[in-house]
Amino acid sequence: ILEAAGIAKDTPLITVDGAGVPAEELLYWVTYSADQYAQWGMTDLSMDMGSGQTLGSYYLDSAVENATLYQVVRNHAEELKMGWNEANEADYEAQLSQLKSSLAAQMGVGTASDGESASPDPEIAAKTDAEYVRFLAYMGLSENSFFHINEVSYLFQNLREGLYGTKGTEAPDGEKIDAAGVLHAKHILIKAIPVTDESGNVTDDGMASALEKANALYDEITVAEDPMTRFEELMNENSEDVDSSGNVNGGADGYTFGPGEMVTEFEEGTAALAVGEISQPIQSDYGYHIILRLDADNEAGQSKYADIKMNELVDQWMEEAQVEKTAAFDQLNAERFYTALVDLRAEMTAAAQPEPAETTPTESGSPEAAATPSATPAG
């Protein structure tokens, strides 16, 4: 495949802060985008996307962005001494074993072992490994590059925990969590149900009715001896923010969220409250919310803080990254590469079909085509 692309797999195509990204990895990201768009019928990589950009060049630009992101995480994990460790190794091996078993099961191979203490059947083990190799080939990857791509999710978590986890160098506290915009709240939602006439025209948006009910509930909360307890009771009895089973979304813990994750009125309404305070009905497109703000300095809030800060840091790293394309990059033909990969996949699928068994003329049925692996990299 890489020969068809006209390049050796370990040839650096871009450098990120001086670290080279090999052709095999960059072309994986071309494949990643092309496979996604192919599901929507967009298979012509020469298609004009406007401004002189083809679908193939768009895939290549996306590949550079993804490869840069992954290399940035690698670079900084190494710099901060938060790289690959024994715990990562153990988890990766367990995930890899599970992937191989899943691939083998898809092909009807079975498992390589009947139990933890049993010795693996050599024939089944060989077939399982063969399916794993075929899976990698479908993506145009070697085992080493497959690992190199997947390791980044572990490195990201190492950085997240090492910097912003509860024992990290910048561990969260209540003040930091508040400053990051992390909020924790429960609400009673009374939905606005529009009323329509026989022609389907909306004659009443339902907001007035929702407000009337929300005001009645709010009044009941404010006169209660224990407003917070009464809020909980009325939420469970009346809130229309429920799942398909009728259970209140957010459950007993409510919602813990960061900036932009909720509708603006809900976020701003929560932020305007003191911890333990209950709002008057607040209107949104959904209807009216009665909000109870809670303390976000808890496990969920600490995790949300780490997510926010880590994403901000990676965005900063991406802005600062020095990305340079090599001479080999300019010679790359993404369309030719992906076309060759598709052709090879077809050959692999045909080759993986079992040989038809010899049958008598009265027997019918032909072997089903071998399924292609459906698993995707963890990264």
Side-chain angles (χ1 to χ4, degrees):
I1 285 298
L2 290 163
E3 287 177 0
I7 196 165
K9 68 178 183 179
D10 56 353
T11 303
L13 293 183
I14 64 172
T15 61
V16 180
D17 295 328
V21 176
E24 187 173 18
E25 185 174 338
L26 188 81
L27 289 172
Y28 162 76
W29 290 114
V30 172
T31 301
Y32 178 84
S33 295
D35 282 350
Q36 286 189 319
Y37 279 80
Q39 296 178 34
W40 303 327
M42 299 176 68
T43 57
D44 181 6
L45 272 66
S46 64
M47 182 176 71
D48 187 2
M49 298 288 288
S51 302
Q53 186 181 44
T54 64
L55 187 58
S57 62
Y58 168 74
Y59 292 158
L60 196 53
D61 290 343
S62 297
V64 170
E65 186 76 8
N66 283 324
T68 298
L69 170 63
Y70 273 52
Q71 192 59 52
V72 157
V73 172
R74 290 190 196 102
N75 291 347
H76 286 279
E78 180 178 359
E79 176 188 341
L80 295 171
K81 303 188 185 306
M82 296 180 186
W84 191 254
N85 57 46
E86 291 183 1
N88 299 154
E89 180 73 23
D91 187 76
Y92 180 75
E93 289 300 323
Q95 295 291 333
L96 193 58
S97 177
Q98 185 176 358
L99 170 62
K100 290 181 179 180
S101 295
S102 176
L103 293 171
Q106 287 181 41
M107 298 303 296
V109 172
T111 58
S113 173
D114 294 326
E116 291 184 6
S117 60
S119 298
D121 182 306
E123 183 177 352
I124 293 178
K127 289 181 178 179
T128 299
D129 286 341
E131 286 309 312
Y132 172 55
V133 170
R134 191 166 75 95
F135 163 72
L136 296 180
Y138 264 83
M139 296 184 290
L141 289 175
S142 64
E143 187 170 14
N144 183 62
S145 288
F146 181 67
F147 163 75
H148 201 51
I149 289 170
N150 278 279
E151 74 169 335
V152 174
S153 61
Y154 291 93
L155 300 181
F156 182 91
Q157 289 304 319
N158 292 350
L159 287 162
R160 179 185 179 278
E161 291 304 312
L163 294 173
Y164 304 112
T166 55
K167 297 180 180 179
T169 58
E170 300 181 47
D173 56 28
E175 186 176 340
K176 289 180 180 178
I177 290 171
D178 287 344
V182 179
L183 296 167
H184 182 202
K186 296 181 180 181
H187 74 146
I188 300 171
L189 171 64
I190 304 302
K191 289 185 176 180
I193 309 299
V195 177
T196 58
D197 60 21
E198 294 180 355
S199 301
N201 299 313
V202 176
T203 59
D204 183 351
D205 64 6
M207 282 293 180
S209 176
L211 177 58
E212 182 180 358
K213 183 176 180 180
N215 278 331
L217 293 173
Y218 178 73
D219 290 342
E220 191 171 342
I221 292 168
T222 56
V223 300
E225 184 176 343
D226 184 349
M228 291 186 68
T229 298
R230 191 59 182 144
F231 176 94
E232 293 277 352
E233 294 170 348
L234 292 176
M235 180 184 72
N236 292 324
E237 295 168 4
N238 296 276
S239 182
E240 294 171 342
D241 179 12
V242 296
D243 61 23
S244 58
S245 301
N247 299 314
V248 175
N249 285 322
D253 296 328
Y255 292 101
T256 300
F257 55 96
E261 293 182 7
M262 295 291 187
V263 295
T264 301
E265 296 86 353
F266 186 85
E267 180 181 335
E268 291 180 351
T270 302
L273 299 171
V275 172
E277 187 179 1
I278 299 171
S279 75
Q280 294 185 23
I282 295 173
Q283 184 180 1
S284 76
D285 289 341
Y286 294 99
Y288 281 88
H289 311 257
I290 303 171
I291 303 171
L292 166 61
R293 181 173 178 179
L294 300 169
D295 189 356
D297 189 7
N298 53 35
E299 185 175 348
Q302 292 161 0
S303 179
K304 181 65 66 175
Y305 166 83
D307 290 339
I308 291 171
K309 298 303 292 183
M310 190 62 204
N311 287 330
E312 288 177 352
L313 184 60
V314 171
D315 287 345
Q316 178 186 331
W317 288 343
M318 287 290 285
E319 291 177 6
E320 295 172 350
Q322 298 296 312
V323 181
E324 296 182 3
K325 298 174 181 177
T326 67
F329 181 93
D330 296 331
Q331 306 301 316
L332 186 64
N333 186 321
E335 181 178 351
R336 181 173 61 185
F337 162 75
Y338 190 67
T339 299
L341 179 61
V342 170
D343 290 344
L344 178 60
R345 286 171 169 175
E347 294 175 14
M348 290 167 60
T349 299
Q353 292 180 4
E355 292 293 329
E358 293 185 7
T359 61
T360 61
T362 58
E363 293 178 337
S364 62
S366 58
E368 295 182 359
T372 59
S374 62
T376 56

